[in-house]
Each structure stands twice: as structure tokens, then as C-alpha cells.
């Protein structure tokens, strides 16, 4: 039976490493093809309230990059058939050295990096460091980009591009319309495979996008379910798995 591919976003360690792992297991069992794991960050530029709140809660525990990479390594060993992408912000990658960070990420099982605030053409060496370590840099395209710049990105030769389906921050609903389709066509003009996300929370949205993207991306919807059920691991697993199944069903 055919299905819609799903890249699901989780904040590493939220609300605890064990509950975060339970959520990841639910996502995999629910049909997620890719786990996009965010390293908690104190001042995110693209994340809405649900993900910002999750990051804040994890950071209060003194959670560090090493903890996030250890969590990713556990996921990789538990679900070797599932791609893992790491999502973070530039300072966490740049501070220890881009090459060093990429080496550590690859060793933990990361297959791709999504760093929204490192532009594709001024990425501090991220693309080269990813390639040197067997990973892909997955740049972010946004509707706010000028047509000329969007075309430059589309034809830059990246195997995958993350298309943010609207401007602003994650977590609020996105309407899929003709403008969305035209934007996705522009992002895909150079032959890159497209991951489409920002505000995806329902099966109807996923089905509307399915023909134009390699995978849909959903994050805040899962973080909200985790928050609502964090005192009941069984309920958390069931809620997250059910939503993953909804999003992947044709």
C-alpha cells in the first residue's frame, strides 16, 4: 500500500530522554521515514511557541550538545532503517568548529543537517563538511526569498531542499493553495527533492502536498501531543503514533 513519506520533528530530550525516545518509537511505528532531531537552542529564529517552550524546558536541565548527540546515537542504533537529520542553529555548529561538529554528528548516525540560519551560499563550510563526513546539507527555502535568489538555490545542486511553506515561525496552520504549489515548483526547478513543512498538522494537508514533495514535514503538532501527554507514557505513544499514521495515509 502506498503512503505519504513523513519527516517528523522532535526536540532531543523533551520532556525527558525516555519520553522523547517513546515519542520517536511511536513515530517510527506510525510510519515516519525520517526523524528530524532538533538540538535545544535558547534563541531560535524559526520555531513557534510549542518548540520554543520544549527547548526552554530541556535547557533548564543543563542539556548540552553532547547529550543531544548521545540521544541521536541511541535512536540510530534502535532504528537503523530510519534516516536521522539533525536540525539546529548556526552558533551550535560554528562554535566547536563546523568540521568538528559534522564529524561528531556523522559518528552519531546523522545523515543530514538542517541549519536554517546558515544561508546556502554563506554556510561557513557546512556543505563541504557534510560531504566530507557522508552527510547532506539541506538548505531551507522560504517564500520570502526573491525569485532570483530562490532560483539560485534551486539550481545550486543540493540533493534535498527544505521548503518552508510560509513565512514566519512554525506551529500555526498553513493553507495549501495555488501559491504554495507555485512556490514548490520553483524550489524543485533544479531537480532537488523537496521536503515541505511549516504548519502541517492534518492528513488533508499532507495529501494536498504529497504529489509535490519527497516528504511532508511535521513538528509542532507532535510536540504539542507530547506536552499534552507527558504524564502518561502510554497515552503519549498512542497519540503520537496515531497522528503519524494520519499524516502518512493516502
Amino acid at each position: 500500500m502506498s503512503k505519504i513519506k513523513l519527516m517528523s520533528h522532535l526536540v532531543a530530550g523533551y520532556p525527558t530522554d525516555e519520553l522523547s525516545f517513546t515519542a520517536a518509537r511511536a513515530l517510527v511505528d506510525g510510519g515516519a521515514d525520517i526523524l528530524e532531531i532538533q538540538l535545544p537552542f535558547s534563541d531560535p529564529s524559526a520555531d513557534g511557541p510549542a518548540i520554543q517552550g520544549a527547548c526552554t524546558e530541556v535547557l533548564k536541565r543543563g542539556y548540552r550538545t553532547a547529550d543531544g548527540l548521545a540521544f541521536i546515537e541511541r535512536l540510530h542504533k534502535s532504528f537503523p532503517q530510519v534516516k536521522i537529520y539533525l536540525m539546529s542553529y548556526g552558533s551550535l555548529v560554528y562554535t566547536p568548529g563546523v568540521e568538528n561538529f559534522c564529524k561528531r554528528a556523522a559518528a552519531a548516525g546523522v545523515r543530514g543537517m538542517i541549519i536554517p540560519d546558515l544561508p546556502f551560499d554563506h554556510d561557513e563550510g557546512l556543505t563541504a563538511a557534510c560531504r566530507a563526513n557522508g552527510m547532506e546539507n539541506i538548505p531551507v527555502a522560504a517564500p520570502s526569498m526573491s525569485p532570483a535568489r530562490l532560483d539560485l538555490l534551486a539550481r545550486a545542486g543540493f540533493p534535498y531542499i527544505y521548503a518552508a511553506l510560509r513565512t514566519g515561525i512554525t506551529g500555526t496552520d498553513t493553507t495549501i493553495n495555488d501559491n504554495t504549489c507555485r512556490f514548490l515548483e520553483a524550489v524543485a526547478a533544479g531537480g532537488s527533492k523537496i521536503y515541505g513543512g511549516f504548519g502541517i498538522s492534518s492528513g488533508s494537508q499532507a495529501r494536498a502536498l504529497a504529489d509535490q514533495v519527497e516528504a511532508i514535514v511535521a513538528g509542532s503538532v507532535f510536540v504539542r501531543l507530547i506536552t499534552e501527554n507527558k504524564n502518561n507514557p502510554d497515552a503519549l505513544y498512542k497519540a503520537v503514533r496515531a497522528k503519524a499514521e494520519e499524516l502518512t495515509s493516502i
Side-chain angles (χ1 to χ4, degrees):
M1 187 178 74
S2 62
K3 63 182 278 292
I4 299 168
K5 286 187 179 179
L6 170 65
M7 183 201 298
S8 52
H9 180 111
L10 286 178
V11 175
Y14 177 72
T16 66
D17 275 8
E18 283 308 313
L19 288 173
S20 194
F21 184 83
T22 297
R25 182 166 54 85
L27 289 165
V28 172
D29 292 348
D33 301 272
I34 303 164
L35 296 175
E36 180 195 5
I37 307 301
Q38 177 169 350
L39 297 184
F41 191 69
S42 58
D43 189 25
S45 57
D47 299 317
I51 293 176
Q52 283 191 42
C55 287
T56 299
E57 192 167 318
V58 177
L59 290 170
K60 283 179 181 175
R61 304 204 317 260
Y63 209 80
R64 303 179 67 83
T65 294
D67 300 311
L69 291 175
F71 178 72
I72 287 172
E73 186 171 9
R74 181 184 176 192
L75 292 180
H76 176 58
K77 289 178 177 176
S78 301
F79 313 113
Q81 77 282 13
V82 177
K83 271 187 182 179
I84 297 177
Y85 291 161
L86 184 153
M87 182 264 163
S88 190
Y89 290 91
S91 65
L92 284 186
V93 179
Y94 183 80
T95 301
V98 174
E99 175 68 31
N100 176 44
F101 186 95
C102 287
K103 197 172 292 185
R104 292 170 64 197
V110 173
R111 297 277 299 280
M113 303 272 285
I114 302 169
I115 313 295
D117 58 344
L118 284 183
F120 72 97
D121 50 354
H122 293 86
D123 68 1
E124 303 294 346
L126 179 63
T127 298
C130 282
R131 286 179 183 155
N133 289 280
M135 301 187 297
E136 299 290 349
N137 177 28
I138 302 166
V140 178
S144 57
M145 294 171 104
S146 69
R149 183 162 176 76
L150 186 58
D151 192 61
L152 199 63
L153 169 56
R155 301 184 191 281
F158 290 96
Y160 302 97
I161 297 174
Y162 184 128
L165 299 176
R166 56 172 170 72
T167 56
I169 56 175
T170 61
T172 55
D173 276 344
T174 295
T175 301
I176 311 300
N177 54 29
D178 289 344
N179 289 335
T180 311
C181 294
R182 283 193 290 270
F183 170 63
L184 288 170
E185 287 170 1
V187 180
S192 302
K193 293 181 178 180
I194 308 304
Y195 299 128
F198 261 51
I200 303 303
S201 60
S202 70
S204 60
Q205 289 173 306
R207 287 187 290 275
L209 287 170
D211 289 342
Q212 285 192 277
V213 299
E214 171 71 7
I216 60 132
V217 187
S220 293
V221 62
F222 292 120
V223 174
R224 285 193 291 267
L225 289 172
I226 292 165
T227 301
E228 290 165 10
N229 295 283
K230 63 183 179 180
N231 295 319
N232 186 334
D234 289 340
L236 186 155
Y237 174 87
K238 289 175 182 175
V240 170
R241 178 171 178 168
K243 179 56 70 172
E245 289 172 343
E246 176 193 338
L247 291 172
T248 57
S249 298
I250 295 291

